[in-house]
Coordinates of all heavy atoms in Angstrom, one line a residue:
M1 N 98.9 121.8 145.6 CA 98.7 120.7 144.8 C 97.2 120.6 144.4 O 96.4 120.6 145.2 CB 99.1 119.4 145.6 CG 99.3 118.2 144.7 SD 100.8 118.3 143.7 CE 101.6 116.7 144.2
K2 N 97.0 120.5 143.1 CA 95.6 120.4 142.7 C 95.4 119.0 142.0 O 96.3 118.4 141.4 CB 95.3 121.4 141.6 CG 95.3 122.8 142.2 CD 95.1 123.9 141.2 CE 95.1 125.3 141.8 NZ 94.7 126.3 140.8
T3 N 94.2 118.5 142.1 CA 93.8 117.2 141.5 C 92.7 117.4 140.5 O 91.7 118.1 140.8 CB 93.4 116.2 142.6 OG1 94.4 116.1 143.6 CG2 93.1 114.9 142.0
M4 N 92.9 116.9 139.3 CA 91.9 117.0 138.3 C 91.8 115.7 137.6 O 92.8 115.0 137.3 CB 92.1 118.1 137.4 CG 90.9 118.5 136.5 SD 91.0 120.2 135.9 CE 92.0 119.9 134.4
Q5 N 90.5 115.4 137.2 CA 90.2 114.1 136.6 C 90.5 114.2 135.1 O 90.4 115.3 134.5 CB 88.8 113.8 136.8 CG 88.4 112.4 137.1 CD 87.0 112.2 137.4 OE1 86.1 112.8 136.7 NE2 86.6 111.5 138.4
C6 N 90.8 113.0 134.5 CA 90.9 112.9 133.1 C 89.6 113.3 132.5 O 88.5 113.0 133.1 CB 91.3 111.5 132.7 SG 91.2 111.1 131.0
D7 N 89.5 113.9 131.3 CA 88.2 114.3 130.8 C 87.5 113.2 130.0 O 86.4 113.3 129.5 CB 88.4 115.5 129.8 CG 89.3 115.3 128.6 OD1 90.2 114.4 128.8 OD2 89.0 115.9 127.6
I8 N 88.2 112.0 130.0 CA 87.6 110.8 129.3 C 87.2 109.8 130.3 O 86.1 109.2 130.2 CB 88.5 110.3 128.2 CG1 88.8 111.3 127.2 CG2 87.9 109.0 127.6 CD1 89.9 110.9 126.2
C9 N 88.1 109.5 131.3 CA 87.8 108.4 132.2 C 87.8 109.0 133.7 O 87.9 110.2 133.8 CB 88.7 107.3 132.1 SG 90.4 107.7 132.6
E10 N 87.8 108.1 134.6 CA 87.7 108.6 136.0 C 89.1 108.8 136.7 O 89.1 109.3 137.8 CB 87.0 107.5 136.8 CG 85.6 107.1 136.3 CD 84.6 108.0 136.8 OE1 84.1 107.8 137.9 OE2 84.1 108.9 136.0
Q11 N 90.1 108.5 136.0 CA 91.4 108.6 136.6 C 91.8 110.1 137.0 O 91.5 111.0 136.2 CB 92.5 108.0 135.7 CG 93.7 107.7 136.5 CD 94.6 106.7 135.7 OE1 94.1 105.8 135.0 NE2 95.9 106.8 135.8
E12 N 92.4 110.2 138.2 CA 92.7 111.6 138.6 C 94.2 111.8 138.7 O 95.0 110.8 138.9 CB 92.2 111.8 140.0 CG 90.7 111.9 140.1 CD 90.2 112.2 141.4 OE1 90.8 111.7 142.4 OE2 89.1 112.9 141.6
F13 N 94.7 113.0 138.4 CA 96.1 113.3 138.4 C 96.3 114.6 139.3 O 95.5 115.5 139.2 CB 96.6 113.6 137.0 CG 96.5 112.4 136.1 CD1 95.3 112.2 135.3 CD2 97.5 111.4 136.1 CE1 95.2 111.1 134.5 CE2 97.3 110.3 135.3 CZ 96.2 110.1 134.5
S14 N 97.4 114.6 140.1 CA 97.6 115.7 140.9 C 98.9 116.4 140.5 O 99.9 115.7 140.1 CB 97.8 115.2 142.4 OG 96.6 114.6 142.8
A15 N 98.9 117.7 140.5 CA 100.1 118.4 140.1 C 100.0 119.8 140.6 O 99.0 120.3 141.0 CB 100.2 118.5 138.6
E16 N 101.2 120.5 140.7 CA 101.3 121.8 141.2 C 100.8 122.8 140.2 O 100.2 123.9 140.5 CB 102.7 122.2 141.6 CG 103.2 121.5 142.9 CD 102.5 122.0 144.2 OE1 101.9 123.0 144.1 OE2 102.6 121.3 145.2
T17 N 101.2 122.5 138.9 CA 100.9 123.4 137.8 C 100.2 122.7 136.7 O 100.2 121.5 136.6 CB 102.2 124.0 137.2 OG1 102.9 123.0 136.6 CG2 103.0 124.7 138.3
F18 N 99.5 123.5 135.9 CA 98.8 122.9 134.7 C 99.8 122.1 133.8 O 99.5 121.1 133.3 CB 98.1 124.0 133.9 CG 97.3 123.4 132.7 CD1 96.2 122.7 132.9 CD2 97.9 123.6 131.5 CE1 95.5 122.1 131.8 CE2 97.2 123.0 130.4 CZ 96.1 122.3 130.5
D19 N 101.0 122.7 133.6 CA 101.9 122.0 132.8 C 102.3 120.7 133.3 O 102.4 119.7 132.5 CB 103.2 122.9 132.7 CG 103.0 124.1 131.7 OD1 102.0 124.1 131.0 OD2 103.9 124.9 131.6
D20 N 102.5 120.5 134.6 CA 102.8 119.2 135.2 C 101.6 118.3 135.0 O 101.8 117.1 134.7 CB 103.2 119.4 136.7 CG 104.6 119.8 136.8 OD1 105.3 119.9 135.8 OD2 105.0 120.2 138.0
W21 N 100.5 118.8 135.2 CA 99.3 118.0 135.1 C 99.1 117.5 133.7 O 98.8 116.3 133.4 CB 98.0 118.8 135.5 CG 96.7 118.0 135.4 CD1 96.2 117.2 136.4 CD2 95.8 118.0 134.3 NE1 95.1 116.7 135.9 CE2 94.8 117.1 134.7 CE3 95.8 118.6 133.1 CZ2 93.7 116.8 133.8 CZ3 94.7 118.3 132.2 CH2 93.7 117.5 132.6
F22 N 99.3 118.4 132.7 CA 99.2 118.1 131.3 C 100.2 117.0 130.9 O 99.9 116.1 130.1 CB 99.3 119.3 130.5 CG 99.1 119.1 129.0 CD1 97.9 118.7 128.5 CD2 100.1 119.2 128.1 CE1 97.6 118.5 127.2 CE2 99.9 119.0 126.7 CZ 98.7 118.6 126.3
K23 N 101.4 117.1 131.4 CA 102.5 116.1 131.1 C 102.0 114.7 131.5 O 102.2 113.7 130.8 CB 103.8 116.5 131.8 CG 104.8 117.1 130.9 CD 106.0 117.5 131.7 CE 106.4 119.0 131.3 NZ 107.3 119.5 132.3
Q24 N 101.4 114.6 132.7 CA 100.9 113.3 133.2 C 99.8 112.9 132.3 O 99.7 111.7 132.0 CB 100.4 113.4 134.6 CG 101.5 113.8 135.6 CD 100.9 113.9 137.0 OE1 100.2 113.0 137.5 NE2 101.2 115.0 137.7
M25 N 99.0 113.8 131.9 CA 97.8 113.5 131.0 C 98.3 112.9 129.7 O 97.7 112.0 129.1 CB 97.0 114.7 130.8 CG 96.0 114.9 131.9 SD 94.7 113.6 131.9 CE 93.7 114.1 130.6
Q26 N 99.4 113.5 129.1 CA 99.9 113.1 127.8 C 100.3 111.6 127.9 O 99.9 110.8 127.0 CB 101.1 113.9 127.4 CG 100.7 115.2 126.8 CD 101.9 116.0 126.3 OE1 102.9 116.1 127.0 NE2 101.9 116.5 125.1
G27 N 101.0 111.2 128.9 CA 101.4 109.8 129.1 C 100.2 108.9 129.3 O 100.1 107.8 128.7
H28 N 99.2 109.4 130.0 CA 98.0 108.7 130.3 C 97.2 108.5 129.0 O 96.7 107.4 128.7 CB 97.1 109.4 131.4 CG 95.8 108.9 131.5 ND1 95.5 107.6 132.0 CD2 94.6 109.5 131.2 CE1 94.2 107.5 132.0 NE2 93.6 108.5 131.5
Y29 N 97.0 109.6 128.2 CA 96.3 109.5 127.0 C 97.0 108.5 126.0 O 96.3 107.7 125.4 CB 96.4 110.9 126.2 CG 95.2 111.8 126.5 CD1 95.3 113.1 126.6 CD2 93.9 111.2 126.8 CE1 94.3 114.0 126.8 CE2 92.9 112.1 127.0 CZ 93.0 113.4 127.0 OH 92.0 114.2 127.3
M30 N 98.3 108.5 126.0 CA 99.0 107.6 125.1 C 98.8 106.1 125.4 O 98.7 105.3 124.6 CB 100.5 108.0 125.0 CG 100.7 109.1 124.0 SD 102.5 109.5 123.8 CE 102.7 110.9 124.7
S31 N 98.8 105.9 126.7 CA 98.6 104.5 127.1 C 97.2 104.0 127.2 O 96.9 102.9 126.9 CB 99.4 104.2 128.5 OG 98.8 105.0 129.5
D32 N 96.3 104.9 127.7 CA 94.9 104.5 127.9 C 93.9 105.0 126.9 O 92.8 104.4 126.7 CB 94.4 105.0 129.3 CG 95.1 104.2 130.4 OD1 96.3 104.0 130.3 OD2 94.4 103.9 131.4
H33 N 94.3 106.0 126.2 CA 93.3 106.6 125.2 C 94.0 106.8 123.8 O 93.9 107.9 123.2 CB 92.8 107.9 125.7 CG 92.1 107.8 127.1 ND1 91.1 107.0 127.4 CD2 92.4 108.5 128.2 CE1 90.8 107.1 128.7 NE2 91.5 108.1 129.2
A34 N 94.6 105.8 123.4 CA 95.4 105.8 122.1 C 94.5 106.2 120.9 O 94.8 107.0 120.1 CB 96.1 104.5 121.8
D35 N 93.2 105.7 121.0 CA 92.3 106.0 119.9 C 91.9 107.5 119.9 O 91.9 108.1 118.8 CB 91.0 105.2 120.1 CG 91.2 103.7 119.8 OD1 92.3 103.4 119.2 OD2 90.3 103.0 120.0
F36 N 91.8 108.0 121.1 CA 91.4 109.4 121.2 C 92.6 110.3 120.7 O 92.4 111.3 120.0 CB 91.1 109.8 122.6 CG 90.8 111.3 122.8 CD1 89.6 111.8 122.6 CD2 91.8 112.1 123.3 CE1 89.3 113.1 122.8 CE2 91.6 113.5 123.5 CZ 90.3 114.0 123.2
M37 N 93.8 109.9 121.0 CA 95.0 110.6 120.5 C 95.1 110.6 119.0 O 95.4 111.6 118.4 CB 96.3 109.9 121.0 CG 96.6 110.1 122.5 SD 97.0 111.9 122.8 CE 98.7 111.9 122.4
K38 N 94.7 109.5 118.4 CA 94.8 109.4 116.9 C 93.7 110.4 116.3 O 94.0 111.1 115.4 CB 94.4 108.0 116.5 CG 95.5 107.3 115.6 CD 95.1 106.0 115.1 CE 95.7 104.9 116.0 NZ 95.1 103.5 115.7
E39 N 92.6 110.4 116.9 CA 91.5 111.3 116.5 C 91.9 112.7 116.6 O 91.7 113.6 115.8 CB 90.3 111.0 117.3 CG 89.0 110.9 116.5 CD 87.8 110.5 117.4 OE1 87.7 109.3 117.7 OE2 87.1 111.4 117.9
A40 N 92.5 113.0 117.8 CA 92.9 114.4 118.1 C 93.9 114.9 117.1 O 93.9 116.1 116.7 CB 93.5 114.5 119.5
Q41 N 94.7 114.0 116.6 CA 95.8 114.4 115.6 C 95.1 114.9 114.3 O 95.7 115.6 113.5 CB 96.8 113.3 115.4 CG 97.9 113.3 116.4 CD 98.6 112.0 116.5 OE1 98.4 111.1 115.7 NE2 99.5 111.9 117.4
S42 N 94.0 114.3 114.0 CA 93.3 114.7 112.7 C 92.5 116.0 112.9 O 92.0 116.5 111.9 CB 92.4 113.5 112.2 OG 91.3 113.4 113.1
K43 N 92.4 116.4 114.1 CA 91.6 117.7 114.3 C 92.5 118.9 114.1 O 93.7 118.8 114.0 CB 91.1 117.7 115.7 CG 89.9 116.8 115.9 CD 89.4 116.9 117.3 CE 88.2 116.0 117.5 NZ 87.8 115.8 118.9
S44 N 91.9 120.0 113.9 CA 92.6 121.2 113.7 C 93.4 121.7 114.9 O 93.1 121.3 116.0 CB 91.7 122.4 113.2 OG 90.8 122.7 114.3
K45 N 94.4 122.5 114.6 CA 95.2 123.1 115.7 C 94.3 123.9 116.6 O 94.5 123.9 117.9 CB 96.3 123.9 115.1 CG 97.4 124.0 116.1 CD 98.7 124.7 115.5 CE 99.7 124.9 116.6 NZ 100.9 125.6 116.2
E46 N 93.4 124.6 116.1 CA 92.5 125.5 116.8 C 91.7 124.7 117.9 O 91.5 125.1 119.0 CB 91.5 126.3 115.9 CG 92.1 127.4 115.2 CD 93.0 127.0 114.1 OE1 92.8 125.9 113.5 OE2 93.9 127.8 113.7
E47 N 91.2 123.5 117.5 CA 90.5 122.7 118.4 C 91.3 122.2 119.5 O 90.9 122.2 120.7 CB 89.9 121.5 117.6 CG 88.4 121.7 117.2 CD 87.9 120.5 116.4 OE1 88.2 120.4 115.2 OE2 87.2 119.7 117.0
G48 N 92.6 121.9 119.2 CA 93.5 121.4 120.2 C 93.8 122.6 121.2 O 93.8 122.3 122.4
M49 N 93.9 123.8 120.7 CA 94.2 124.9 121.5 C 93.0 125.2 122.4 O 93.2 125.6 123.6 CB 94.5 126.2 120.7 CG 95.7 126.1 119.8 SD 97.2 126.1 120.7 CE 97.4 127.9 120.9
K50 N 91.8 125.0 121.9 CA 90.6 125.3 122.6 C 90.5 124.3 123.8 O 90.2 124.6 124.9 CB 89.4 125.2 121.7 CG 88.1 125.7 122.4 CD 86.9 125.5 121.5 CE 85.6 126.0 122.3 NZ 85.4 125.2 123.5
W51 N 90.8 123.0 123.5 CA 90.8 122.0 124.5 C 91.7 122.3 125.6 O 91.4 122.3 126.8 CB 91.1 120.6 123.9 CG 91.1 119.5 124.9 CD1 90.1 118.7 125.2 CD2 92.2 119.1 125.7 NE1 90.5 117.8 126.2 CE2 91.8 118.0 126.5 CE3 93.6 119.5 125.8 CZ2 92.6 117.3 127.4 CZ3 94.4 118.8 126.7 CH2 93.9 117.8 127.5
M52 N 92.9 122.7 125.2 CA 94.0 123.1 126.2 C 93.5 124.3 127.1 O 93.7 124.2 128.3 CB 95.2 123.5 125.3 CG 96.4 123.6 126.1 SD 97.2 122.1 126.2 CE 98.9 122.7 126.5
A53 N 92.9 125.3 126.4 CA 92.5 126.5 127.2 C 91.4 126.1 128.1 O 91.3 126.6 129.3 CB 92.0 127.5 126.2
D54 N 90.4 125.2 127.7 CA 89.3 124.8 128.6 C 89.9 124.0 129.8 O 89.4 124.3 130.9 CB 88.4 123.9 127.8 CG 87.5 124.7 126.9 OD1 87.5 125.9 126.9 OD2 86.8 124.0 126.1
M55 N 90.8 123.1 129.5 CA 91.3 122.3 130.6 C 92.1 123.2 131.6 O 92.1 123.0 132.8 CB 92.3 121.2 130.0 CG 91.5 120.2 129.2 SD 90.1 119.5 130.1 CE 90.9 118.0 130.8
K56 N 92.8 124.1 131.0 CA 93.6 125.0 131.9 C 92.7 125.8 132.8 O 93.0 126.0 134.0 CB 94.5 125.9 131.0 CG 95.5 126.7 131.9 CD 96.6 127.3 131.1 CE 97.6 127.9 132.1 NZ 98.6 128.7 131.7
A57 N 91.7 126.4 132.2 CA 90.7 127.2 133.0 C 90.1 126.3 134.1 O 89.9 126.8 135.2 CB 89.6 127.7 132.1
K58 N 89.8 125.1 133.8 CA 89.2 124.2 134.8 C 90.2 123.9 135.9 O 89.9 123.9 137.1 CB 88.9 122.8 134.1 CG 87.4 122.5 134.0 CD 87.3 121.0 133.7 CE 86.4 120.7 132.6 NZ 86.2 119.3 132.3
F59 N 91.5 123.7 135.5 CA 92.5 123.4 136.5 C 92.7 124.6 137.4 O 92.8 124.5 138.6 CB 93.8 123.1 135.7 CG 94.9 122.6 136.6 CD1 95.0 121.3 137.0 CD2 95.9 123.5 137.1 CE1 96.1 120.9 137.9 CE2 96.9 123.1 138.0 CZ 97.0 121.8 138.4
E60 N 92.8 125.8 136.8 CA 93.0 127.0 137.5 C 91.9 127.3 138.5 O 92.1 128.0 139.5 CB 93.2 128.2 136.6 CG 94.4 128.1 135.6 CD 95.8 128.0 136.4 OE1 95.9 128.3 137.6 OE2 96.7 127.6 135.7
S61 N 90.7 126.9 138.2 CA 89.6 127.2 139.0 C 89.4 126.3 140.2 O 88.5 126.4 141.0 CB 88.3 127.3 138.2 OG 87.9 126.0 137.8
R62 N 90.3 125.3 140.3 CA 90.2 124.3 141.4 C 90.7 124.9 142.7 O 91.6 125.8 142.7 CB 91.1 123.1 141.1 CG 90.7 122.4 139.9 CD 90.3 121.0 140.2 NE 89.1 120.6 139.5 CZ 88.4 119.5 139.8 NH1 88.7 118.8 140.8 NH2 87.3 119.3 139.2
Ligands
ZN1 ZN1 91.6 108.8 131.1

């Protein structure tokens, strides 16, 4: 089980895999960071992929 913090606030999420962690983050983003979600949708797919890759690398290095 790994624990990693949200990249915007202090809230932490624990999961066995990055996919599970990301699923929790999606729900958290939608309820707590709706503005960020809106902004993210206007960004390019490449940026989204990069964010994903960065977060995954961080998670894996825990
Ligand atoms: Zn957060």
Side-chain angles (χ1 to χ4, degrees):
M1 197 73 126
K2 294 179 182 186
T3 303
M4 194 159 83
Q5 221 175 43
C6 169
D7 62 330
I8 299 174
C9 70
E10 304 275 282
Q11 200 160 326
E12 290 183 327
F13 298 93
S14 300
E16 289 290 346
T17 64
F18 178 75
D19 282 352
D20 281 350
W21 181 85
F22 184 67
K23 259 179 228 160
Q24 295 178 52
M25 276 294 283
Q26 276 184 313
H28 168 68
Y29 268 148
M30 279 186 255
S31 61
D32 289 40
H33 305 304
D35 288 351
F36 178 84
M37 285 292 279
K38 236 184 261 170
E39 223 175 278
Q41 275 164 5
S42 66
K43 284 182 182 169
S44 68
K45 201 173 176 184
E46 283 71 28
E47 263 178 282
M49 297 290 278
K50 191 185 175 299
W51 179 90
M52 194 83 159
D54 284 351
M55 294 307 268
K56 189 166 185 188
K58 248 197 229 180
F59 187 86
E60 299 298 344
S61 69
R62 295 243 138 195

